[in-house]
């Protein structure tokens, strides 16, 4: 385990991220924190990518990034 990872046992943890796109990063971080005993994991993000823009981007439309 990483140095200090055990300090989350029985704690409430707040993950702070700049942009929430698919949620996979937050989901994986929360999973690891729970494995190390975090009692609760909450996520706070500054911005979220709109699903329609994300779907268009993943489909190859790079113009949606410029909008």
């Amino acid at each position: 385990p990483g140095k200090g990872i055990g300090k989350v046992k029985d704690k409430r943890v707040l993950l702070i991220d700049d942009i929430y796109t698919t949620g996979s990063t937050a989901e994986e971080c929360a999973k690891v924190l729970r494995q190390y005993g975090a009692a609760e994991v909450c996520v706070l993000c500054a911005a979220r990518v709109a699903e329609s823009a994300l779907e268009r981007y993943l489909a190859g439309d790079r113009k949606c990034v410029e909008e």
Side-chain angles (χ1 to χ4, degrees):
K3 187 176 181 178
I5 192 75
K7 294 182 179 184
V8 299
K9 185 164 176 55
D10 299 323
K11 304 280 176 131
R12 296 172 67 197
V13 177
L14 175 62
L15 290 177
I16 301 175
D17 200 356
D18 55 352
I19 299 175
Y20 183 97
T21 307
T22 64
S24 61
T25 301
E27 185 177 344
E28 189 61 29
C29 288
K31 180 178 158 185
V32 171
L33 288 164
R34 294 299 302 259
Q35 287 174 347
Y36 281 93
E40 181 179 9
V41 180
C42 297
V43 178
L44 175 69
C45 63
R48 183 173 192 277
V49 174
E51 276 189 48
S52 60
L54 175 61
E55 289 170 358
R56 290 180 9 223
Y57 180 80
L58 293 175
D61 178 5
R62 299 304 186 247
K63 284 184 175 180
C64 66
V65 178
E66 299 168 3
E67 294 177 355

